[in-house]
Amino acid sequence: MAGPPPFRGFLIDADNTIFDYDRAEREALAAALAETGLEPTPALHEAYRRINDGFWRAFERGAVSQEDLKVERFRQLFAEAAPGCRADPAGVSRRYLSMLAAQTWLLPHAAAALAELAGRAALGLATNGIPEVQRGRLERSGLERHFRAVLISGEIGMAKPDPRFFLLGAERLGLPPSDVLCVGDVPATDIRGARAAGMASCWVAAAGAAWPPQEPGPDYTVRDLRALAPLSPPPVFP
C-alpha cells in the first residue's frame, strides 16, 4: 500500500495540473474553426467540450481509439452544431492539434514549483493526452528537463485510470509504488487509477471544484503544485 511522505517520486498529470489546458483549447479551437468559416461562438465551444469529453471517456474505457477520437469529435460537432459546414473533419483535426501543440500556457506557479520539486524527487509526467500535442508543449515550455519519465497514453498503449499505467510510471522512475505520489485534477482518472494501483494520490482542486461524492477521496488535496514540496524529501545541495 501507499506509504506516508516524504515521497521520492511524483507522477504528475499535464492538462489543468501543469498546463492551462482550458485556455489552450479555447485559443486553438477558435483558430481552427475560424479557418472553416465558422464563428467560434461560446455555444459552439461548449458543444465541442461536451462531445470531446464524451470521446475521451470512451477512450479511457477502451471503446474508441485515440486516432478515431481525433477526427470523430469534429465530425460529430459539425453534424450537431454546424450542419451546414462542409469542412473536412480530418483536416480540421490536424490544424487544431498543430495549434494546440504550440500552446504552452501554464497554470500559476507551475514552472517554479516543478523546478523546485525536481531538485528533491524524481518526476514523471503522466497524461492521457495525444502524443504530438503533449510532446510539443513539453518541449516548447522548457519543462521537459524536469522529468525523468514521460508516460503518454497514446505511446504506451494504456490509459488512466488503468492501474497498470501508474505502476509502469513507478517502474520508469525506478521506485517502488509506495514511494510515489500520483498528482492530478480528474478524480475519475488520476485519483481512481492511483487508488486501484495501491498508490497514494493527490487531487489538484481548481477554485470552486467539488469532489464527486461517488468517488473515494484522495490522500491529499492541494490548490496548486507549490504544496507538493512539503511532501517530498529535503533538497540536496551540492
Side-chain angles (χ1 to χ4, degrees):
M1 293 298 293
F7 294 99
R8 294 192 293 141
F10 293 79
L11 285 177
I12 306 175
D13 178 53
D15 293 329
N16 288 332
T17 298
I18 297 171
F19 293 100
D20 186 344
Y21 179 78
D22 291 342
R23 179 177 180 180
E25 177 192 75
R26 186 168 58 250
E27 295 188 6
L29 184 65
L33 292 179
E35 291 190 359
T36 71
L38 290 175
E39 182 183 355
T41 63
L44 194 60
H45 188 196
E46 181 57 34
Y48 171 80
R49 296 203 73 175
R50 171 178 53 81
I51 292 167
N52 183 54
D53 184 67
F55 272 103
W56 277 106
R57 300 293 81 77
F59 169 72
E60 289 158 7
R61 298 192 305 270
V64 66
S65 72
Q66 202 168 82
E67 287 303 309
D68 286 341
L69 175 154
K70 293 178 187 178
V71 176
E72 293 305 316
R73 57 186 174 180
F74 285 103
R75 193 183 311 280
Q76 185 173 334
L77 176 68
F78 297 153
E80 289 188 15
C85 180
R86 296 293 179 262
D88 172 30
V92 175
S93 174
R94 287 191 295 271
R95 184 60 176 154
Y96 170 69
L97 293 177
S98 174
M99 293 175 171
L100 193 59
Q103 303 286 339
T104 58
W105 303 113
L106 301 176
L107 292 177
H109 317 297
L114 287 174
E116 179 182 4
L117 199 61
R120 296 168 172 259
L123 306 187
L125 188 75
T127 173
N128 278 353
I130 294 171
E132 59 263 41
V133 172
Q134 303 297 52
R135 290 286 181 184
R137 291 190 300 162
L138 193 57
E139 181 179 352
R140 291 180 176 92
S141 68
L143 298 179
E144 190 173 23
R145 67 186 186 277
H146 297 316
F147 293 98
R148 181 177 298 181
V150 175
L151 289 86
I152 303 174
S153 58
E155 292 180 347
I156 65 175
M158 63 185 79
K160 297 182 288 185
D162 188 330
R164 296 175 300 167
F165 186 106
F166 299 87
L167 294 173
L168 178 62
E171 178 183 323
R172 291 192 176 179
L173 290 179
L175 295 170
S178 59
D179 281 359
V180 178
L181 181 65
C182 304
V183 182
D185 68 301
V186 182
T189 52
D190 299 311
I191 309 306
R192 184 193 299 173
R195 177 180 287 272
M199 297 169 69
S201 63
C202 178
W203 182 42
V204 180
W211 183 264
Q214 72 276 14
E215 294 287 345
D219 296 289
Y220 305 92
T221 298
V222 301
R223 289 299 179 189
D224 64 63
L225 298 183
R226 291 177 297 177
L228 298 181
L231 302 176
S232 65
V236 177
F237 297 102

